[in-house]
Amino acid sequence: MTERPVRIAVQIAPQQADYVAIRDTVQSLDGLGVDVIFNWDHFFPLYGDPDGRHFECWTMLAAWAEQTRRAEIGALVTCNSYRNPNLLADMARTVDHISGGRLLFGIGSGWFERDYTEYGYEFGTVGGRLDALADALPIIEARWAALNPPPTRRIPVLIGGGGERKTLKLVARHADIWHTFEQGELFAHKLGVLRAHCDTVGRDLDSIEISVGVGGRGREGRTPEPPEVEGGPLHDLGARLFTMNCRAPEFDVSHVEPWLAWRDALNAS
């Protein structure tokens, strides 16, 4: 199998800033050559002022689809609970066309209770939300097959999370990309569980791109330098999409540039 290239992704939290600042940051990242630009699917800020400025995910992605030229775009991740799965599939297909085939479809079961209570969704239980996601994924895939026009390509599906009994089983069945924040031995363990689920459904784990969150400015702690990843378990065990964040109000992207240089050198070797 051809070696999968290393890619660099940045998540922009759509909170605590005017939209023009978010737009300008997306423009900068696309110009720098970032491979993927993510937002997230919430209705209120997760960090800082809980009632601060915040913008909706999918209308923003449609704007990014027109604004960008190179980077893939997507949500890290869409909440399955907030939209009818047939409607969500149609929304994704539309953004896919607007972007010229650069949408990544990140989806998860949801977790932020305030989103649910203030917007009138039933919060339920973790297991119930995961079961609803399992029901929705085949509906989304079937709707993509039925739409006219169809998506420009087989839209890559990203599923995040590490639940060993349900989430990783969904990854094995439906995902092109698995996203995790795990590190070290726990990362290796989760990969082993995912491999077992892939074996059960007759799928090669190597067909799934592994995305790892490597932090970034705006969160606690420092951003790890690329050599630390290159020589550590993340890259050695198969991680190829390295995802960091870029947060308001500064939206400083300087920490991304060493990762892009590392990516280019590694992919050229």
Side-chain angles (χ1 to χ4, degrees), residues 111-223:
W111 63 273
F112 190 42
E113 188 170 4
R114 185 184 180 190
D115 285 347
Y116 286 79
T117 56
E118 294 216 22
Y119 274 61
Y121 299 106
E122 181 182 353
F123 188 56
T125 65
V126 173
R129 293 192 299 275
L130 281 167
D131 290 342
L133 177 59
D135 291 340
L137 285 165
I139 296 172
I140 291 167
E141 293 164 353
R143 179 56 55 188
W144 281 339
L147 286 167
N148 184 17
T152 65
R153 62 172 178 167
R154 183 181 179 279
I155 297 176
V157 173
L158 178 152
I159 297 176
E164 297 181 12
R165 189 170 64 88
K166 292 186 176 183
T167 302
L168 292 180
K169 184 181 293 185
L170 292 176
V171 173
R173 289 177 175 172
H174 298 280
D176 302 283
I177 305 169
W178 172 51
H179 180 78
T180 180
F181 291 99
E182 305 297 0
Q183 307 279 325
E185 293 182 2
L186 188 54
F187 174 62
H189 169 74
K190 297 291 185 181
L191 277 175
V193 174
L194 178 56
R195 185 183 301 277
H197 284 307
C198 286
D199 290 344
T200 298
V201 300
R203 187 175 182 193
D204 187 346
L205 176 62
D206 289 341
S207 68
I208 300 173
E209 185 175 22
I210 308 301
S211 169
V212 292
V214 291
R217 293 178 182 170
R219 297 191 76 169
E220 298 81 0
R222 64 190 181 88
T223 302

Side-chain angles (χ1 to χ4, degrees), residues 16-45:
Q16 313 293 4
D18 291 328
Y19 182 71
V20 66
I22 296 172
R23 182 196 64 200
D24 291 349
T25 304
V26 170
Q27 193 76 53
S28 296
L29 291 169
D30 192 47
L32 283 172
V34 166
D35 295 289
V36 187
I37 306 172
F38 291 116
N39 62 6
W40 68 34
D41 190 19
H42 294 288
F43 304 132
F44 300 95

Side-chain angles (χ1 to χ4, degrees), residues 94-105:
T94 300
V95 173
D96 167 65
H97 274 264
I98 295 170
S99 69
R102 292 182 291 112
L103 177 73
L104 295 183
F105 185 72

Side-chain angles (χ1 to χ4, degrees), residues 11 52 56 62 87 102 112 133 205 242 254-255:
Q11 183 184 50
E56 194 276 329
L87 171 62
R102 292 182 291 112
F112 190 42
L133 177 59
L205 176 62
F242 295 88
S254 62
H255 64 295

